[in-house]
Amino acid sequence: MPQKTLAETLAARETVYVHCGHPACCKSTKLDVQTLIDRLGPDHGSMHDDLVRIFACSHCKAAGRDRRPVFFTFIPDYEGQQGERNRDWKPTFDRTKPA
């Protein structure tokens, strides 16, 4: 059982990038998590070990370079988390008293 699934990644509204590990390339692409779910299924793992065998750099392949491992970056939905944290926030200072 994977630690985290693609469905959980989509529900958390995380942004996922895949990066080429070849030093002459270093291309980066934003992944569409919904498309991954359509192809692999919602229960497919979204951790590095679950995805690394699926991706290869097309730029390196076209240039005839050797295949290097790819790396992933998962960026949380900071705006959504901040909004949830501040939803019930009210100021705690009293504006009626002079400074």
Side-chain angles (χ1 to χ4, degrees):
M1 178 80 179
Q3 292 179 350
K4 188 173 185 180
T5 64
L6 290 172
E8 292 170 338
T9 302
L10 183 65
R13 299 181 64 203
E14 291 181 346
T15 304
V16 183
Y17 289 91
V18 61
H19 310 277
C20 177
H22 198 288
C25 180
C26 299
K27 298 286 185 200
S28 179
T29 302
K30 181 179 176 181
L31 297 178
D32 184 354
V33 179
Q34 183 60 55
T35 302
L36 285 175
I37 289 173
D38 294 343
R39 287 184 175 196
L40 304 173
D43 294 330
H44 192 278
S46 66
M47 302 299 285
H48 175 83
D49 289 338
D50 301 320
L51 298 174
V52 72
R53 290 180 288 288
I54 298 169
F55 291 94
C57 180
S58 59
H59 296 282
C60 285
K61 185 176 181 179
R65 291 190 281 264
D66 59 326
R67 183 175 175 164
R68 299 286 178 100
V70 295
F71 303 96
F72 300 91
T73 302
F74 292 80
I75 302 173
D77 177 25
Y78 289 117
E79 187 174 324
Q81 291 175 358
Q82 188 71 14
E84 183 66 28
R85 242 181 281 153
N86 292 335
R87 182 177 46 157
D88 297 325
W89 180 84
K90 293 179 179 56
T92 57
F93 54 88
D94 185 8
R95 290 183 177 227
T96 59
K97 294 181 183 178

